[in-house]
């Protein structure tokens, strides 16, 4: 089961002029193979056979490869192409240990060759040395393969389902495309690689002893390699004639004398014409054994595709192919298996391996060039960090705030939990078509902890798009239902309000709605204080009274939730559908609010970073395409590069570009892939989580109406990886700016800080959090940053902010 480093079969788009060298016996061939992909998929071949004199077969390796180089020069001269540097595929049909596609170490000579100083050396290097010594031509030796792999590749050009090669001639062997995750000898788990089985040695360990006959044993004992290649000796042409002779002698001892001393004159190797006259319905070979059935069984067990390539010459036997097909189909009833007869397999196949390698290399180079702008260097990330810092300063400054893209809004949250908070609090979490009402019980002392009860309510579309009074009356009706459900109708509790819409906050309990988003259009709300609107609705109902203590957004809620668990938590981060961050800033730097003492949580609204054009040098054509067709072109540019709402669309645009350029899906674009938003961001998480031979990728691509190969799946996975990695790195660069600012604010040489994080992209993507954390560590080496995942951040956080505010208020009243 030797790796061949052939990782792909032809897909029909191969194109170019190639040479092939086919060396496997006393004669060898040089071929020129022209492959054209002009819609006709045509292959033209010219070849010349050259002899290898017996003295060269037993001479030195240098003499042999000099002779091969001389024949190559002669061939190129005849075709007048000596001045061209053409790629060459080398079929070398001797036992080799392959370490790369273009490197093969000869293990041992066979077939009468005994050239010195070749065994244990790379045959490609020896050939290159002989060519270089001549100096009159140059070629690019791209691949070295054996004849079985060449056979599979030849047939693979005509049938894209062909993933198995079979030779049954003088000897026998098979190869097939194996999943990389099963090949322990080669690093990497993704994709496939052709495995040269060298199956002739099957049975050398004794596993076939129960079916070997006395005739098989006699043949083996009289062979040049007793005890070796036992399977081959049961099925290949070299031994078939002798097997029949032994059976006939057993049946009629007198038959032996009629053969004289030259039995192979009557039954030569390969089972050629004389054996054909005996082989037939009820003939001697049939009555003894069907040797091809053993081969068929092994083919069946090695089969991984829907088609298998079958080589000659044992196909010359009238019933061999028919019985082989029948046996394989009987053993594998659930597989649709087709056999294709290879024409000129080994030579043309070597050229095909080379053509595929050239196609893959050219396509890979083209794809990498397109993806290069998405791969950010350490220097670029440092630059993003510095630019974020500049924008933060602008947002905090009184004179520069108006023009700042990163708004750095004061939240009037001036303290994180210290663990002494206690009491019962209500929380209202409004950020979409559903909202939640929560009862949060905070305990301190020995029983310190948080207990929560909540109920989810929906907001009908007619209320979302009706009047503000109708909306807030509906919210209060739901609060009333919740209090009744909890048996607390007459109790007046402090309430924290998570309101995840753009607001300008003038106090902890005052938030002016700037603009509705997420499909809300309730009239009479924009420009109004949402806390005031809620209080008015409570008074209209006249059932209960609530003390609305705080209005916050989800990012601040996340920081406060994690702050209850970890006193070092002074930063909040959301990376989900959208993205935002907040942190505890020194009051002296918050110029929009009077006072210099203490700290205040600043809501960065960092999604708009880059709206000024400061990220234009790292934005790609794909970012611009996504932005132009978004609901808010030119706005939230940083968010569009890092958050879940947009990553899938960036990937889709790249896949479209690859396909249009013939670098993916054989250049065929499905109608579904043309649909905006069809490639959901959750697909990125699923694709990058996949460890099962890219099955998840194939399933997703099938859902998108795309017929994909294994290579296509690997490419799609790479695109997802590049896009998600860049998102995590950019997010990390922003976070590095935040933690470094906190450190510098406090005049510290080293800062220990925790970031509370929430959001589906951070939680569900298999690598996002790791890359984000690595980036922060690299860009802020003087900070020890811990990332703490928030559970139920927005609702619980609003209650904890209320609890902290109540604690501070009570302390001030003492």
């Amino acid at each position: 089961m030797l790796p061949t480093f052939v990782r792909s079969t032809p897909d029909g788009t191969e194109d170019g002029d190639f040479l092939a060298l086919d060396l496997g016996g006393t004669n060898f061939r040089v071929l020129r193979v022209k492959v054209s992909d002009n819609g006709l998929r045509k292959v033209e071949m010219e070849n010349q056979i050259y002899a290898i004199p017996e003295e060269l077969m037993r001479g030195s390796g240098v003499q042999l490869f000099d002779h091969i180089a001389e024949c190559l020069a002669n061939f190129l001269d005849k075709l007048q192409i000596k001045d061209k540097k053409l790629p060459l595929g080398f079929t070398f049909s001797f036992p080799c240990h392959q370490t790369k596609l273009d490197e093969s170490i000869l293990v041992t000579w066979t077939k009468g060759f005994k050239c010195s100083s070749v065994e244990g050396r790379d045959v490609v290097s020896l050939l290159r040395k002989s060519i270089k010594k001549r100096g009159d031509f140059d070629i690019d030796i791209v691949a070295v393969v054996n004849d079985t792999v060449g056979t599979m590749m030849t047939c693979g050009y005509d049938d894209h389902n062909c993933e198995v090669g079979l030779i049954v001639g003088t000897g026998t062997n098979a190869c097939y495309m194996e999943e990389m995750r099963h090949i322990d000898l080669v690093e990497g788990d993704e994709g496939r690689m052709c495995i040269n089985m060298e199956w002739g040695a099957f049975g050398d360990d004794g596993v076939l002893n129960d079916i070997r006959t006395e005739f098989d044993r006699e043949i083996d004992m009289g062979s040049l390699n007793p005890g070796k290649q036992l399977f081959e000796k049961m099925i290949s042409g070299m031994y078939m004639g002798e097997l029949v002779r032994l059976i006939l002698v057993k049946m009629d001892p007198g038959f032996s004398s009629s053969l004289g001393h030259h039995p192979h004159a009557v039954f030569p190797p390969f089972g050629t014409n004389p054996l054909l006259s005996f082989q037939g319905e009820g003939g001697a070979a049939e009555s003894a054994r069907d040797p091809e059935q053993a081969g068929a069984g092994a083919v069946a067990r090695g089969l991984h595709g829907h088609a298998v390539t079958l080589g000659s010459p044992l196909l010359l036997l009238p019933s061999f192919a028919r019985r082989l097909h029948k046996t394989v189909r009987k053993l594998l009833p659930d597989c649709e298996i087709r056999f294709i007869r290879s024409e000129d397999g080994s030579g043309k196949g070597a050229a095909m391996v080379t053509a595929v390698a050239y196609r893959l290399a050219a396509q890979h180079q083209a794809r990498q060039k397109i993806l290069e702008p998405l791969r950010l260097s350490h220097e670029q990330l440092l630059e993003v960090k510095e630019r974020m810092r500049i924008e933060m300063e602008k947002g905090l400054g009184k004179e520069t705030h108006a023009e700042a893209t990163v708004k750095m809004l004061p939240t009037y949250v001036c303290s994180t939990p210290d663990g002494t908070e206690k009491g019962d609090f209500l929380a209202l979490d409004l950020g979409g078509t559903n909202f939640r009402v929560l009862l949060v019980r905070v305990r301190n002392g020995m029983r310190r902890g948080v207990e929560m009860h909540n109920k989810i309510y929906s907001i009908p579309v007619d209320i979302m798009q009706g009047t503000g009074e109708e909306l807030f009356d509906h919210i209060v009706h739901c609060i009333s239902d919740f209090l009744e459900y909890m048996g607390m109708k007459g109790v007046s509790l402090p309430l924290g309000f998570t309101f995840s819409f753009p607001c300008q906050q003038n106090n902890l309990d005052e938030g002016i709605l700037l603009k509705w988003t997420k499909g809300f259009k309730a009239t009479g709300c924009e420009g109004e204080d949402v806390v005031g609107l809620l209080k008015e609705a409570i008074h209209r109902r006249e059932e209960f009274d609530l003390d609305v203590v705080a209005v916050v957004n989800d990012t601040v809620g996340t920081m406060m939730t994690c702050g209850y668990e970890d006193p070092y938590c002074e930063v909040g981060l959301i990376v989900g559908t959208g993205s935002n961050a907040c942190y505890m800033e020194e009051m002296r730097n918050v110029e929009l609010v009077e006072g210099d003492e203490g700290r205040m949580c600043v809501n960065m609204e960092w999604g708009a970073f880059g709206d000024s054009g400061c990220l234009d040098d790292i934005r790609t054509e794909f970012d611009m395409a996504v932005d132009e067709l978004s609901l808010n072109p030119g706005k939230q540019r940083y968010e569009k590069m890092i958050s879940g709402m947009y990553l899938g669309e960036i990937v889709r645009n790249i896949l479209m570009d690859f396909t249009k350029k013939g670098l993916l899906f054989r250049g065929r674009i499905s109608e579904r892939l043309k649909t905006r938003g069809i490639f959901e961001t959750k697909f990125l998480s699923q694709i990058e989580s996949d460890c099962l031979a890219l099955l998840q990728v194939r399933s997703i691509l099938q859902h998108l109406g795309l017929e994909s190969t294994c290579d296509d799946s690997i490419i799609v996975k790479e695109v997802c990886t590049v896009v998600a990695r860049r998102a995590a790195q950019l997010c990390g660069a922003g976070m590095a700016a935040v933690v470094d600012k906190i450190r510098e604010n406090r005049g510290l040489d080293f800062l220990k800080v925790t970031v509370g994080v929430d959001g589906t992209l951070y939680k569900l993507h298999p690598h996002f959090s790791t890359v984000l954390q690595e980036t922060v560590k690299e860009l802020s080496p003087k900070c020890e940053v811990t990332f703490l995942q928030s559970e139920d951040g927005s609702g619980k956080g609003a209650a904890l902010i209320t609890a902290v505010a109540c604690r501070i208020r009570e302390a001030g009243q003492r």
Side-chain angles (χ1 to χ4, degrees), residues 55-300:
E55 64 269 18
L56 286 183
M57 290 171 64
R58 289 170 169 74
S60 71
V62 172
Q63 291 172 319
L64 173 66
F65 284 99
D66 282 353
H67 174 67
I68 293 169
E70 187 180 334
C71 296
L72 266 171
N74 173 269
F75 182 76
L76 296 173
D77 258 338
K78 278 187 176 178
L79 297 183
Q80 298 182 332
I81 53 173
K82 215 170 182 182
D83 57 329
K84 291 185 178 181
K85 184 179 179 179
L86 295 177
L88 178 138
F90 187 7
T91 306
F92 189 74
S93 300
F94 298 91
C96 285
H97 168 59
Q98 205 155 346
T99 49
K100 289 192 290 192
L101 185 60
D102 64 346
E103 185 176 277
S104 195
I105 313 298
L106 176 64
V107 176
T108 181
W109 281 119
T110 55
K111 307 174 188 177
F113 280 77
K114 289 184 181 175
C115 299
S116 61
S117 302
V118 181
E119 291 179 351
R121 297 180 67 185
D122 172 29
V123 294
V124 175
S125 295
L126 293 171
L127 179 57
R128 281 178 177 147
K129 201 173 284 184
S130 291
I131 292 169
K132 191 175 181 181
K133 189 163 56 177
R134 290 183 60 89
D136 58 340
F137 70 94
D138 194 13
I139 55 174
D140 180 14
I141 305 174
V142 173
V144 57
V145 295
N146 72 1
D147 51 356
T148 320
V149 179
T151 296
M152 179 189 77
M153 295 297 278
T154 296
C155 294
Y157 184 75
D158 298 314
D159 183 337
H160 298 149
N161 288 320
C162 183
E163 296 184 30
V164 184
L166 173 65
I167 297 283
V168 199
T170 314
T172 182
N173 194 16
C175 68
Y176 70 100
M177 297 301 290
E178 176 60 271
E179 304 297 319
M180 278 293 291
R181 69 182 187 277
H182 295 150
I183 308 171
D184 292 343
L185 297 175
V186 180
E187 285 186 11
D189 290 336
E190 291 185 356
R192 294 176 183 157
M193 182 180 286
C194 181
I195 289 291
N196 166 24
M197 293 180 68
E198 291 294 346
W199 79 357
F202 175 46
D204 290 6
D205 58 354
V207 296
L208 296 181
N209 285 352
D210 58 333
I211 63 167
R212 289 177 72 225
T213 66
E214 59 184 287
F215 311 113
D216 297 309
R217 291 187 176 89
E218 192 171 340
I219 285 174
D220 179 42
M221 292 305 293
S223 69
L224 294 170
N225 56 347
K228 303 291 183 187
Q229 300 294 107
L230 297 183
F231 186 56
E232 183 171 79
K233 288 169 184 171
M234 296 169 77
I235 69 172
S236 72
M238 173 75 80
Y239 305 95
M240 189 94 43
E242 180 64 1
L243 180 64
V244 172
R245 186 188 72 81
L246 290 171
I247 295 168
L248 292 175
V249 169
K250 176 83 172 176
M251 293 168 69
D252 179 6
F255 185 75
S256 174
S257 58
S258 68
L259 296 178
H261 297 290
H262 302 286
H264 284 310
V266 180
F267 294 107
F270 310 109
T272 46
N273 291 337
L275 179 58
L276 286 178
S277 62
F278 281 87
Q279 165 70 312
E281 295 302 317
E286 257 190 347
S287 62
R289 178 180 66 202
D290 291 335
E292 63 271 27
Q293 288 196 8
V299 170

